Every structure is written in C-alpha cells, then in structure tokens.
Amino acid sequence: MVSATNGTAAPPGPPPGPPPTKENPYLAHLSPAERAIGGADASSSSSSSSDALTGFLPRRVTSKQVLAALEAPMNPFTSTPKPYSQKYRDILAKRKTLPVFAQVDDFLQKFQENQILVMIGETGSGKTTQIPQFVAYSDLPHMKRGPDGAPMLIACTQPRRVAAMSVAKRVAEEMDVSLGQEVGYTIRFEDATSKPHTFLKYMTDGMLLREAMHDKMLSRYSTIILDEAHERTLATDILMGLLKPLCAKRPDLKIVVMSATLEAEKFQKYFNSAPLLKVPGRTFPVETFYTPEPEPDYLEAAIRTVLMIHQAEDEGDILLFLTGEEEIEDACRKIRAGADELAATSPEICGPLKVVPLYSSLPPQQQQKIFDAAPARLSPDGPPGRKVVISTNIAETSLTIDGIVYVVDPGFSKQKVYNPRIRVESLLVSPISKASAQQRMGRAGRTRPGKCFRLYTEKDFVNELIESSYPEILRSNLANTVLELKKLGVDNLVRFDYMDAPAPETIMRALELLNYLAAFDDNGNLTPLGEIMAEFPLDPCLAKMLICSSDLGCSNEILSITAMLSVPNVFLRPNAQRQQADTAKAAFAHPDGDHLTLLNVYHAYKTNCYDKDSASNWCWQNYLSLRALQQADNVRQQLSRTMEKFDLDLVSNQFEGNERRYYENISRAITCGFFMQVAHKSGAGKSASYTTIKDNQIVAPHPSTTLDHSPEFLLYNEFVLTTRNFIRTVLEVRPEWLLEYAPSYYAPEAFKDDGEVKRIMQGISRKLKGGASSGNGSGREREKKKARKG
Ligand SMILES: Nc1ncnc2c1ncn2[C@@H]1O[C@H](COP(=O)(O)OP(=O)(O)OP(=O)(O)O)[C@@H](O)[C@H]1O
Ligand SMILES: [Mg+2]
C-alpha cells in the first residue's frame, strides 16, 4: 500500500509499501532503485538517474517523490547525466497548473494498486502529455531491460498519426530529451524511436497491433495506455480484446484507458469492473455559441464565420472543421480571397491571414505546417496576423495547436460506412456526435481561454446529435482485421471478446474474401501465403498482388505500383490550370489503364529527378506532387525490406522486344490480388455501361482515368460513391486471367445468375478442359514452393 495519498507527506527513510522481499546482499553497491529492479542491468543507469530517483521503488512511488524528482538538478531519464535546461523548468511551471497534476497522488495510487485503470479528464487537462510521464516515474522502464536487452517501454496509443507525432514532440520537450531517443513515436512507414534508448513511445493503435503479431505477450511493454478510447477505432477495439486476456497471462502489465469523452461505465464493465479515475477541471474556459436558426449551407456559413472572426474578434488563431480534402481546399481558396479583400478594404482592422489545410492524405511534413506561427503584423501598430487551420476530424482529438482561440464547428464529418452485401466501404458526410462536438470545442482553451462557434442550434445539439459515434468495427470492411486477428492467434473470430461485436455478415464477407485470396484455407486457417500477407502493412488485396508478382517476374514494377497506390494522389490539377495539368498527365498515360500510368510516372520520376532541384522542377513542370512521389519512394523502400525478409525476389521481365508480354504480366499480377473487384461491360458504344461482377452494381470509370477505350472487363482499385458510382484506378483485364487466378470465384458453377459473364466463363472453361489447371493462381504456387522449401 502506498501511504502518501491525498498529499500526506511520506515518512523519511525507505519508502512505504509492502514489506520488501529479502534482498540480495551482493547488490549492496547499487542504489535502492537499482536493487529493486534486479540489478542485472543496473550498470546501464547513470549516476544522474540514481540521484533523482534514489528511493524510488518501481510501482511503489509516491507523488511526493515524483514532485521532488521533477525539481531535481539532473535529468534521471537520459543515458548520460544532463542538467535540466531552463526551457524544461519553464514548461514544468506550466505543467504544474494542469488539472491532472493536482491528481498525481490519486493517479499513482490507483495505477499502482490496479492492473487496469479507466481515466476521464476534460480536454486539455493533461492526460496524454502527463500521464505517460507519471507512469515513467512509477515503472522506471529505462532502468529495466526487456527480453531483447532493450529498455522496457511505455506505449501511449493514438488513433491518428498527426497526434502521435505532435504529442511525442511535446513530451520530449517536456522531459528535456531528444525526440526519437528516450521519447519517440511510431506510425505506419515511420519509426522515430531508438531501440537502445526509447522507453516512452507514442504510436498509432494500428502499429501496436502489428507489433502484437510478432510478440503476442507484448513483452517489451510495462504499461500500455490506450488514449482517445472514445474514438473506438478498429485497432483500439481489437487491442482491448487482446489486452484483456493478456492481463491474466502478464500480471506485471498495466493498462490505462483514457479519454475526455468516454462512456466510462461501459469501459469499466468491459474490463472486469476496473476502477475509474476522474480528473475534474479545465485548463482554460471555452465559451460556446450556437446559431439561432439552422444554417442552410454549412460551408458558406463556415467561411462567413471565419471571416467575421477575423474582422471582429481579438487576436488568436482559428480552427475550422470541414469534411474532406476537396471541401477544405475549396474553403482555403475562398477564405484567402475573402481575407485579401478585407486586407485591401480595411487594413486598419484586418491583419494578414494565413490559411493552412489539414487532412489525412497530406504527407506528415505538410501536416506539421499547422504548428507554424501566425503571420506577423504588417506594421508595428497594425492589426495582428492570424492563422486559420481548416481540418477534417483528424484534428478533433488529442492535438494542441498553440495559438488556437476560436473553433468553428459546422457539425459534420465524413464517416465510414460499409455495406457487406455489395462489399462497398464508403465515406458519407453525416452529423457528428455530442462527443465529437465536445472534442472539437476542446481544441480551444488549451493555452488560453477560447470560443467555440457551433453552426447549429442548441436544440439540435441536445436533441439531434447522438451521444457518441458508432464504433468503427461496426462500419468497416473487416478483411484486414480478420487477417490480423488470425495472425495474432485468435482462432475463433466469433467468440473473440469484442466490446461491440461486428455483424456476422461482415465477418463472413471478410472470411470469404481471404479464402478466395488463398490467405485462408477452407477450414478458415491461415495458409503460408496468408502468413506472409499479414506481414505487409497493406490491404490484403495489395499484399496478395505484391507476393504473386515475384512468380510473374514483375515484382519491381508491382512494388512501384503498390507504393504509388499507398500515397495520396500524385496528379495535381489546380482549378485555373486544369487543361495544362491534363495535358501533362496525358504524357504518362498508358492505354491499358491507370495502374500502368502510375508506373510510368514513378519510372519517369526516378529517371528525371537526381537531386532536390531537378525533382522539384520536374514535378512542377509535370503537375505532379513531389511530396507524394517522395513518400512513394519511402514506402517502396520499406516494402522492399519486407519482400526480402520473406525471400520474395525483386525481379523484372525483359522489356525490349517483348512489351506486350511485359505489361501483360504486370496486369496479371494485379489480377491475382484484385479479381474480386472487376466490372463487366454491357451494351456498346455510347450506351455501354459497366456492372460489377457478382455484386451487380452499375458503375462508371472515374473521369480521371487514362484508359482510352472501353474493354470488356475492367478491374478497379477503388469504388467511389459520390453522386453516382465511380470506379477509380482501372485496368483492362482478360477473362481468361480471372479464371486462371481465381478458379473457384470464376468457376461457372459459382455464378448464381445465368448472365453473360457466366457464359463467357463456361466458354473459357470448356477450352481449358483437359489442359493443366494452375490451381488457385500464383498464391498456391508460392504455397507449394514454400512447402517445398520448408
Ligand atoms: N504543443 C504544445 N504547446 C503548448 N502547450 C501544450 C502543447 N501540448 C500540450 N500543451 C499544454 O498541455 C495541456 C495538456 O495537453 P494534453 O494533450 O496532455 O491534454 P489532454 O488531456 O490529453 O487533452 P485531450 O483530451 O484534448 O487529448 C494543454 O492543454 C496545453 O496547455
Ligand atoms: Mg489527449
């Protein structure tokens, strides 16, 4: 028991707690803390550590000890002794005013006495930045060694990359250590940690899930903090289901589940009546305003409100929430134009306005621009400059953007919905939940008082908005999740302890897809191919395509295409220069389809860009996004490492004199992964239309396609639901390939209706009868090859 609760001072001498176990007398040369953790690795802890942490017994630490260590002259967390900087002390003074600081005692007591703790505290109260640090003082992970000899870790998961990166940066500053060393972050395709030094790691929930695939016991982690649990992302939900039974196997592992807007009871109940810690109090007040009448056009109202704030409100930056990239870029343009006009007509009232967009497909470096300072005033006594950040709901949770005073919330976001019947996942603009509205408001009032303008009526807020958003697991295609779960050793997907169980039909659809992809056998077990597919941080169709490409001799090309499909759109099409942009794109166009066009772009980029200047010039001239291409290059490199690890050859077929075959093999490899995403043409000429095979949805190739004709069979990468159903990134494929690589999916018997596709497949089948069948495509081949190797 820890006695120093409620601010009571701990008695001098050895810290209170359960009677110490008999100590090893041969460890007398070590400090008490070092002795407490076993001594085996004590040589790695510096004298500075022992100074500030003298008397600390892991998981029996008092608030008094922590508060004293925070004031110590030397940093106990760095590997070489280092005095604390003045900046550290300045930030510490601010940290001490945060509501969670008043609760450090309560937190330590509840954390140390329980294996799982649920915690709620207002937005901005200090959960994400402070709690992991308190845990560090209690766990002392930097002084313990995990099974691989590296320090133990505290993980704090975030649903979004931008939050993981920015919070890690802030906490590194607060702890006076280098980002990427003692404190780091891991997001998909970026690892800013150092194995020998990192002990506090912010990471996306998806990354922790991937780590669990290789280490089911998560043995490097001493504490896992699931932050923003209210968001109920797929990965957080799966992590909860994994951690719950893991706690029984690892009594030393601790879990903290946190958020500002949590249905705490539900979480407590799920985690076997885990205790709750509630942190009262806000950092700064936020005044909320509603519109008296509903706004007929939220975009127009949002732009008007931002420009009103710019004219009428005191100094301070603005954060506006919109739903997606296009809408945000449109609003950026209109707000810039409006601000320029105001600056011209009322220079004495309106200073310069800087508009910064934020959405998930922007590369991380670009996203960091939201943290840039507002522009300076134009003259010493002129009005101050202002920054407006226009973001999707990725800025809704976790983020602190210093300077934000005004939040404008129109009340909508794009939400994922999945229809398992037609296997289409799409994003629909829908009203947000009360929890989201509260999180949005909470982006203000963090470093100073704020105002939140809700562009809906108070009555609508109370009566129309649902309490919290539906968990993502109920609204998603689960193919990837089911593959991950199998890899994680979860055999019975139906009996897995979901907080909210997905619809059986959704699980069935995922199992069916993975079976057709040959990742699962007919008994629902992971095949050797499925094992490798799960290793790639990619959608199962992409992973399958990549793996098959080695056998088809085109893995170099497919790797480039996969990388290009994994980054934001590389083609830029500025409103004023659409024609020029389209002409530039046409130079790369491949008549067989967009995948090959992407390959042409990547190849041209690698050929023409040898340094920074040549790259930016070339991209500029060709209306291409240099950032997206650089990102593709990075993704390609990372994926190539996974390919090497699994012995997947990186090869190319001969091009000269063999072009037709060269491209055909690439198209065949794509077919191996995407044969379930194919549409068939009916009719001819202008009246031709496409219908997706088996799901029977009428679709049209997206206008952005480079395909110059209407082939009979069209494979697509993406189904886009807008005003009509579009298929985007399309490729001509041959029906023989479909039957060759997916015989069970395209076997005539597998078609319910007697349509044209069935007849075509019957015809091909008859022709093939007697000839050698290639089984379930290259996947099976690879399985056989693996089996032979094994
Ligand atoms: N980058 C930063 N710059 C300045 N102050 C910051 C920064 N990050 C955090 N802070 C300060 O620390 C406080 C706590 O931030 P933290 O992210 O820990 O809050 P939180 O409780 O996790 O909030 P939320 O529920 O919104 O995620 C902020 O309110 C702010 O005062
Ligand atoms: Mg937080």
Side-chain angles (χ1 to χ4, degrees):
M1 285 281 291
V2 177
S3 65
T5 54
N6 304 324
T8 325
T21 46
K22 208 167 175 207
E23 282 189 6
N24 178 350
Y26 299 104
L27 297 179
H29 62 288
L30 301 174
S31 77
E34 291 161 341
R35 259 177 278 155
I37 59 170
D41 42 53
S43 55
S44 64
S45 65
S46 65
S47 57
S48 67
S49 310
S50 47
D51 286 347
L53 302 177
T54 299
F56 276 60
L57 287 177
R59 303 250 168 104
R60 279 186 273 161
V61 171
T62 65
S63 58
K64 194 173 171 223
Q65 286 178 305
V66 172
L67 294 174
L70 283 164
E71 304 290 351
M74 303 290 272
N75 191 338
F77 290 108
T78 47
S79 46
T80 47
K82 202 178 119 194
Y84 275 127
S85 65
Q86 187 52 44
K87 189 174 171 197
Y88 165 84
R89 297 193 189 289
D90 295 344
I91 300 182
L92 180 61
K94 286 191 190 141
R95 287 168 61 196
K96 284 182 169 171
T97 64
L98 294 174
V100 298
F101 242 86
Q103 303 279 116
V104 57
D105 203 53
D106 211 5
F107 171 77
L108 284 173
Q109 190 178 1
K110 286 205 165 76
F111 170 74
Q112 296 178 140
E113 283 178 2
N114 297 283
Q115 193 172 12
I116 306 178
L117 177 62
V118 177
M119 182 176 163
I120 338 184
E122 282 271 9
T123 49
S125 60
K127 298 179 297 299
T128 311
T129 51
Q130 309 310 309
I131 294 297
Q133 297 188 58
F134 298 160
V135 171
Y137 281 103
S138 176
D139 281 10
L140 305 172
H142 63 305
M143 296 168 95
K144 293 186 207 164
R145 291 287 172 268
D148 54 358
M152 291 293 281
L153 284 165
I154 297 167
C156 180
T157 66
Q158 295 293 318
R160 302 180 199 284
R161 295 182 310 174
V162 60
M165 291 169 76
S166 68
V167 175
K169 181 166 176 276
R170 170 69 180 183
V171 174
E173 280 169 15
E174 290 191 0
M175 295 188 80
D176 216 4
V177 297
S178 312
L179 178 64
Q181 293 296 308
E182 289 81 358
V183 176
Y185 65 86
T186 308
I187 58 179
R188 190 167 81 133
F189 298 128
E190 193 178 339
D191 182 8
T193 63
S194 143
K195 204 161 182 190
H197 297 113
T198 304
F199 62 84
L200 172 52
K201 179 152 102 167
Y202 288 87
M203 63 204 302
T204 48
D205 44 10
M207 289 310 291
L208 184 60
L209 202 53
R210 294 207 77 81
E211 279 194 25
M213 281 184 196
H214 297 280
D215 176 11
K216 296 193 176 69
M217 300 297 280
L218 288 168
S219 48
R220 280 195 67 200
Y221 294 89
S222 63
T223 295
I224 293 172
I225 302 168
L226 297 177
D227 200 5
E228 306 301 354
H230 77 278
E231 281 224 18
R232 302 290 308 278
T233 57
L234 246 174
T236 293
D237 266 23
I238 300 296
L239 277 173
M240 289 195 293
L242 292 173
L243 291 176
K244 200 174 150 182
L246 184 58
C247 279
K249 292 185 203 150
R250 277 203 48 202
D252 59 315
L253 176 70
K254 288 197 186 273
I255 313 289
V256 182
V257 183
M258 303 198 297
S259 168
T261 48
L262 206 59
E263 300 158 273
E265 278 164 35
K266 183 166 180 169
F267 284 80
Q268 285 181 275
K269 201 165 148 222
Y270 177 76
F271 283 113
N272 311 324
S273 311
L276 174 69
L277 175 68
K278 247 182 159 165
V279 177
R282 283 201 58 84
T283 326
F284 295 97
V286 179
E287 217 178 328
T288 306
F289 303 89
Y290 294 91
T291 52
E293 296 296 326
E295 287 289 350
D297 178 344
Y298 72 83
L299 184 59
E300 184 274 326
I303 294 167
R304 181 170 21 96
T305 308
V306 167
L307 293 172
M308 284 288 289
I309 293 171
H310 188 43
Q311 287 171 80
E313 294 283 346
D314 294 341
E315 186 169 3
D317 298 335
I318 307 169
L319 174 61
L320 162 64
F321 286 98
L322 290 177
T323 65
E325 174 177 346
E326 237 171 83
E327 196 178 75
I328 288 173
E329 291 293 356
D330 183 35
C332 282
R333 272 189 299 276
K334 288 182 175 149
I335 291 175
R336 276 187 203 118
D340 286 349
E341 205 180 307
L342 285 173
T345 50
S346 344
E348 66 296 344
I349 303 174
C350 296
L353 186 72
K354 178 173 168 180
V355 188
V356 191
L358 177 65
Y359 39 84
S360 62
S361 60
L362 278 178
Q365 293 75 13
Q366 185 81 356
Q367 294 184 344
Q368 293 302 310
K369 285 205 157 62
I370 60 169
F371 299 107
D372 291 354
R377 40 186 103 224
L378 295 176
S379 61
D381 47 1
R386 212 189 283 272
K387 171 176 76 177
V388 49
V389 176
I390 310 184
S391 174
T392 60
N393 53 0
I394 69 168
E396 191 173 285
T397 48
S398 259
L399 284 193
T400 299
I401 309 172
D402 198 7
I404 295 290
V405 172
Y406 308 99
V407 167
V408 181
D409 171 18
F412 291 94
S413 71
K414 262 193 193 161
Q415 291 170 36
K416 193 163 41 166
V417 283
Y418 178 60
N419 181 342
R421 206 172 36 78
I422 56 165
R423 292 181 299 118
V424 172
E425 196 177 68
S426 41
L427 290 168
L428 288 186
V429 173
S430 330
I432 58 169
S433 63
K434 286 198 181 83
S436 286
Q438 203 180 325
Q439 289 285 348
R440 288 180 173 192
M441 179 189 81
R443 295 317 102 200
R446 297 174 84 83
T447 51
R448 59 189 106 164
K451 290 184 181 176
C452 175
F453 298 88
R454 290 182 170 157
L455 306 183
Y456 37 89
T457 64
E458 189 164 9
K459 199 165 137 237
D460 281 349
F461 173 78
V462 175
N463 300 326
E464 303 296 327
L465 298 194
I466 54 171
E467 287 302 319
S468 45
S469 318
Y470 292 113
E472 196 182 358
I473 199 166
L474 305 182
R475 308 182 270 119
S476 304
N477 172 357
L478 295 181
N480 205 7
T481 307
V482 165
L483 183 61
E484 283 179 343
L485 278 170
K486 278 279 171 178
K487 180 86 183 175
L488 287 158
V490 176
D491 275 332
N492 192 332
L493 296 165
V494 178
R495 285 183 52 202
F496 182 73
D497 193 356
Y498 303 98
M499 185 177 249
D500 286 284
E505 195 183 354
T506 308
I507 297 188
M508 289 309 296
R509 279 298 194 176
L511 287 169
E512 185 188 74
L513 175 110
L514 291 164
N515 181 242
Y516 282 127
L517 287 175
F520 284 7
D521 63 21
D522 292 344
N523 298 321
N525 297 318
L526 209 53
T527 60
L529 170 72
E531 295 268 358
I532 305 177
M533 280 168 64
E535 292 288 340
F536 286 92
L538 294 171
D539 174 81
C541 297
L542 282 174
K544 169 82 186 276
M545 155 178 114
L546 194 51
I547 294 167
C548 291
S549 65
S550 287
D551 290 343
L552 284 159
C554 55
S555 46
N556 277 320
E557 291 76 7
I558 290 290
L559 190 55
S560 307
I561 293 174
T562 310
M564 293 290 274
L565 291 173
S566 304
V567 300
N569 189 4
V570 293
F571 298 106
L572 302 177
R573 203 164 178 256
N575 260 0
Q577 292 159 298
R578 288 188 167 178
Q579 220 172 358
Q580 293 93 318
D582 291 344
T583 311
K585 183 174 175 181
F588 303 105
H590 194 289
D592 289 353
D594 303 299
H595 298 74
L596 299 173
T597 302
L598 287 175
L599 178 65
N600 284 344
V601 172
Y602 182 78
H603 187 248
Y605 165 67
K606 295 302 281 182
T607 313
N608 291 291
C609 304
Y610 33 86
D611 60 19
K612 216 171 140 203
D613 283 347
S614 63
S616 50
N617 273 338
W618 185 82
C619 287
W620 177 258
Q621 281 160 11
N622 288 287
Y623 292 85
L624 293 168
S625 159
L626 173 60
R627 277 186 303 267
L629 283 162
Q630 285 168 331
Q631 219 181 331
D633 225 11
N634 176 20
V635 170
R636 193 184 189 283
Q637 273 175 28
Q638 304 214 26
L639 291 174
S640 73
R641 274 181 233 134
T642 314
M643 301 268 295
E644 277 164 29
K645 194 166 143 197
F646 291 96
D647 212 6
L648 295 161
D649 302 329
L650 281 173
V651 285
S652 289
N653 288 309
Q654 193 190 332
F655 182 73
E656 285 90 21
N658 211 8
E659 283 174 41
R660 199 59 243 162
R661 187 105 196 118
Y662 176 86
Y663 288 117
E664 182 181 317
N665 275 315
I666 297 173
S667 301
R668 281 172 176 265
I670 298 170
T671 310
C672 287
F674 288 87
F675 57 81
M676 287 175 83
Q677 294 182 193
V678 177
H680 177 248
K681 185 171 81 166
S682 46
K686 282 220 154 94
S687 63
S689 70
Y690 282 91
T691 309
T692 59
I693 295 176
K694 297 211 177 170
D695 303 320
N696 300 322
Q697 299 297 299
I698 296 175
V699 293
H702 195 267
S704 65
T705 185
T706 59
L707 193 79
D708 68 352
H709 57 295
S710 307
E712 199 179 0
F713 288 88
L714 208 46
L715 175 151
Y716 57 93
N717 183 60
E718 209 185 338
F719 189 114
V720 192
L721 244 178
T722 50
T723 39
R724 58 193 284 211
N725 295 339
F726 282 117
I727 47 177
R728 191 155 53 193
T729 315
V730 296
L731 178 76
E732 173 174 6
V733 289
R734 306 283 318 143
E736 304 84 49
W737 306 343
L738 296 173
L739 200 59
E740 182 178 351
Y741 298 117
S744 46
Y745 193 74
Y746 283 98
E749 316 77 81
F751 286 83
K752 272 194 235 132
D753 311 321
D754 279 333
E756 208 187 329
V757 180
K758 181 170 178 168
R759 270 196 303 282
I760 294 171
M761 294 302 159
Q762 275 166 338
I764 302 172
S765 258
R766 268 196 299 274
K767 266 199 226 157
L768 284 175
K769 278 263 160 69
S773 155
S774 59
N776 200 354
S778 304
R780 283 272 161 84
E781 277 306 302
R782 169 141 292 279
E783 276 175 56
K784 281 187 212 149
K785 211 166 132 187
K786 280 270 151 190
R788 281 199 297 274
K789 277 188 192 170

